[in-house]
Amino acid sequence: MNKLGFSRELRLLTPEDYKNVFQQAHRAGSPHLTILARPNDLNHPRLGLAVPKKQIKTAVGRNHFKRLVRESFRLKQADLPAKDFVVIAKKSAQELSNEELFKLLDKLWHRLSRPSRG
């Protein structure tokens, strides 16, 4: 576990991990961010982040966004199914307050946790 209490096994680490999620994913989105999810063969969820410089210009802004997403994931991981999740930031994500971002993430985690329909 690292200093944030976020172990390596809960993260997508390789380009292949990301590629698998991007290929066949269920999607939940808002004007501020998109979360892609794909079932994995593990017995726990994993998180990946895609926060392009083009969307959030400053390193401080990108790091702040990632920190909040990781914290939201950490708090919800016990309720999440065994899927790989990739959170993709959009430009307007940096305009959200911490509370608004947490509420939005909660809603999207919940949406992606439901059994898929087909």
Side-chain angles (χ1 to χ4, degrees), residues 16-112:
E16 289 80 37
D17 290 340
Y18 281 88
K19 197 166 96 180
N20 286 335
V21 177
F22 283 113
Q23 278 175 351
Q24 296 177 334
H26 291 105
R27 175 183 302 262
S30 80
H32 309 292
L33 58 99
T34 300
I35 302 179
L36 304 176
R38 181 172 183 194
N40 66 32
D41 296 333
L42 309 167
N43 60 355
H44 57 81
R46 295 190 303 173
L47 176 67
L49 295 163
V51 188
K53 283 183 185 175
K54 192 173 186 177
Q55 302 301 332
I56 299 180
K57 300 274 188 239
T58 67
V60 170
R62 290 190 301 277
N63 291 335
H64 180 75
F65 177 82
K66 291 190 280 190
R67 203 168 24 255
L68 292 173
V69 172
R70 279 191 213 108
E71 179 64 8
S72 172
F73 179 80
R74 187 185 69 78
L75 294 170
K76 290 288 180 190
Q77 73 189 42
D79 303 326
L80 294 173
K83 291 183 177 181
D84 291 340
F85 296 93
V86 175
V87 178
I88 305 167
K90 296 180 184 174
K91 255 190 186 75
S92 60
Q94 61 193 343
E95 296 163 12
L96 296 173
S97 70
N98 293 0
E99 187 179 336
E100 289 169 331
L101 182 58
F102 268 101
K103 280 183 183 171
L104 177 58
L105 285 165
D106 280 352
K107 189 169 96 177
L108 297 176
W109 294 135
H110 178 72
R111 198 181 303 164
L112 288 167

